[in-house]
Amino acid sequence: MYGNLNKCLWIHSGAVSGDAAQADSCSDPVTMPVSEFTNGQIGGGTSDGATVTTTAGSGCAMYDGSRITAYGNVRPWEVPTTATAPLNSQVAIGRTVLWRYVSRDGRYVMVRDPRSGGTDGTGLQSWYFIPRGCLPATLP
């Protein structure tokens, strides 16, 4: 898990190493209602996002002048949202991504870059959060 999130979460078994037994300190899984982590804006179906092109709007943070600063997690249920440490995405302005949902406070959007990273829990991942200002004011 990238960042400073201190919660019980699922993780792909291929993303961990070693064979030492670990005690399960998490309670039973809980499904969080959509209204608790999003402002109601949801793109795409249940497993992927809707296509949108990135823009350099107000609040869009860049790390090298052309690529968008992203975050592995942002605690989308908090108001205001708290972001983890920034990471360098491969998404440049004008690139098409898939957007999944807008955080509850409207500051971040979960996106997937289908051209970089994976979705298997190991290595560079293609799902992360970017500032809401990096997408058009009206989402498709």
Side-chain angles (χ1 to χ4, degrees):
M1 176 55 81
Y2 186 83
N4 59 2
L5 183 65
N6 185 19
K7 300 283 182 183
C8 291
L9 305 168
W10 63 266
I11 187 168
H12 284 277
S13 60
V16 296
S17 62
D19 56 5
Q22 297 293 318
D24 182 4
S25 62
C26 295
S27 60
D28 290 336
V30 175
T31 301
M32 183 180 282
V34 173
S35 62
E36 287 189 32
F37 64 88
T38 178
N39 68 357
Q41 291 181 283
I42 299 174
T46 58
S47 64
D48 216 344
T51 304
V52 67
T53 302
T54 58
T55 61
S58 176
C60 184
M62 311 294 279
Y63 71 90
D64 67 355
S66 67
R67 289 182 284 187
I68 297 171
T69 301
Y71 303 88
N73 205 337
V74 297
R75 297 181 183 165
W77 56 89
E78 291 183 349
V79 176
T81 300
T82 303
T84 61
L87 56 93
N88 296 337
S89 79
Q90 298 303 308
V91 178
I93 296 301
R95 191 160 181 184
T96 300
V97 295
L98 299 167
W99 75 279
R100 185 70 185 96
Y101 66 87
V102 179
S103 64
R104 192 168 158 210
D105 67 357
R107 293 177 54 210
Y108 296 93
V109 182
M110 176 180 254
V111 299
R112 182 169 76 85
D113 179 6
R115 288 168 291 235
S116 67
T119 59
D120 64 356
T122 60
L124 178 65
Q125 295 298 291
S126 60
W127 282 106
Y128 37 78
F129 290 87
I130 62 173
R132 174 64 182 89
C134 298
L135 296 179
T138 303
L139 289 170

